[in-house]
């Protein structure tokens, strides 16, 4: 099984959506009204298309005032474009010493 399938099985309160393409991002919109918080970063990778799609997700989450927790490769995206979350009070960054 994929890692995200194991996570969902082990934690039924977590919904994992491994949608990392522009086509898949359109499917993401239907889940926004049911989303209480978004975690971006762990396992994300740094592919250019993934970074573009992730930026779009952040923009949509901000429009709906959804809290965003950003870690790992999500922090790389923010480092490259800090304006994505600048001024958004519901963004939480979780860097470690290396990040």
């Amino acid at each position: 099984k994929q890692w995200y399938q194991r996570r969902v099985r082990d934690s039924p309160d977590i919904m994992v959506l491994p949608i990392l393409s522009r086509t898949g991002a359109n499917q993401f919109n239907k889940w926004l009204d049911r989303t209480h918080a978004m975690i971006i970063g762990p396992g994300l990778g740094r592919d250019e298309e993934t970074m573009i799609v992730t930026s779009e997700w952040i923009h949509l989450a901000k429009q709906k005032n959804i809290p965003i927790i950003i870690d790992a490769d999500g922090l790389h995206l923010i480092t490259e474009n800090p304006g994505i979350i600048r001024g958004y009070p519901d963004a939480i960054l979780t860097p470690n010493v290396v990040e």
Side-chain angles (χ1 to χ4, degrees):
K1 287 189 170 184
Q2 297 287 332
W3 67 269
Y4 53 85
Q5 291 170 323
R6 288 191 304 270
R7 290 273 184 213
V8 171
R9 182 195 69 219
D10 296 341
S11 301
D13 294 333
I14 297 173
M15 179 175 31
V16 177
L17 300 174
I19 302 171
L20 300 177
S21 68
R22 286 178 102 40
T23 306
N26 294 331
Q27 299 172 19
F28 178 70
N29 291 329
K30 69 182 178 183
W31 296 101
L32 276 178
D33 289 332
R34 297 174 49 194
T35 301
H36 297 111
M38 187 181 305
I39 301 172
I40 296 175
L44 187 63
R46 296 183 180 185
D47 176 76
E48 183 178 351
E49 184 173 353
T50 300
M51 294 289 109
I52 292 168
V53 170
T54 303
S55 296
E56 293 171 4
W57 291 352
I58 292 171
H59 178 71
L60 292 170
K62 286 170 45 179
Q63 287 179 332
K64 298 216 175 240
N65 295 314
I66 296 170
I68 306 168
I69 301 166
I70 303 171
D71 189 30
D73 287 331
L75 293 171
H76 173 74
L77 172 64
I78 301 307
T79 300
E80 295 294 313
N81 188 356
I84 293 173
I85 60 157
R86 185 174 286 126
Y88 186 58
D90 291 325
I92 301 170
L93 306 181
T94 59
N96 61 40
V97 175
V98 177
E99 296 169 329

